Amino acid sequence: MEKLRIVFMGTPEFAVGILDTIYKNNYEIAGVITAPDKPAGRGQKLSVSAVKEYALANNLNLLQPTNLKDENFLQELKQLNANLQIVVAFRMLPEVVWKMPKLGTFNLHASLLPDYRGAAPINWAIINGETKTGVSTFFIDEKIDTGAIILKAETAIDPKETAGQLHDRLMVLGSSTVVETLKIIE
């Protein structure tokens, strides 16, 4: 069995819950990729992503490319020698990036695909009064949220539940689903 060597890509708090679970399950994390710091608030102080804070706190190798097609970034990514990439709430990847690892690149999406592809799936499920939702892991391909599905996990939506509450529950469900996905890939 080939040992997984993972590059994790994500930015917001939702991604941190997943990264933390991967880390605590003792998977080898070769690198973490997140959005560049950006000015925020009235003073335009540089704000860092939740994923960056986590990576720094846990001494994980961190990359913050502004351009995912930049030769220097692609070289750095290649040198991490990962055989699998995991994407959670990041951004569209160029083909040269998602095709790089031998075992592929998979995404965790906060809906039961093919429902609610694209942005804000949690909010749309609430807005549309859905009674159930969940998470899906799938291998990334050329289109948005259309690749081969690996796993799905479903949960009921309480009629009084807010998008914030559902977000937090899906982060927990997503964490266990990603670990199950890793076991399948292994």
Side-chain angles (χ1 to χ4, degrees), residues 77-114:
L77 185 59
K78 207 169 269 158
Q79 285 167 354
L80 294 176
N81 200 24
N83 55 13
L84 181 68
Q85 291 175 151
I86 302 172
V87 179
V88 180
F90 191 49
R91 60 189 200 232
M92 281 285 296
L93 300 182
E95 188 170 330
V96 63
V97 172
W98 60 259
K99 274 195 166 168
M100 197 177 287
K102 186 169 91 179
L103 300 173
T105 299
F106 79 83
N107 181 285
L108 171 73
H109 188 72
S111 79
L112 296 171
L113 291 171

Side-chain angles (χ1 to χ4, degrees), residues 13 25 79 104 109 184:
E13 195 59 48
N25 275 274
Q79 285 167 354
H109 188 72
I184 290 169

Side-chain angles (χ1 to χ4, degrees), residues 2-8 19 22-32 60 80-86 182 186:
E2 185 174 355
K3 189 170 173 2
L4 295 180
R5 188 169 159 80
I6 297 165
V7 164
F8 181 89
L19 177 57
I22 295 166
Y23 182 73
K24 288 184 172 150
N25 275 274
N26 298 312
Y27 283 99
E28 184 181 352
I29 300 170
V32 174
L60 298 172
L80 294 176
N81 200 24
N83 55 13
L84 181 68
Q85 291 175 151
I86 302 172
L182 290 171
E186 277 179 309

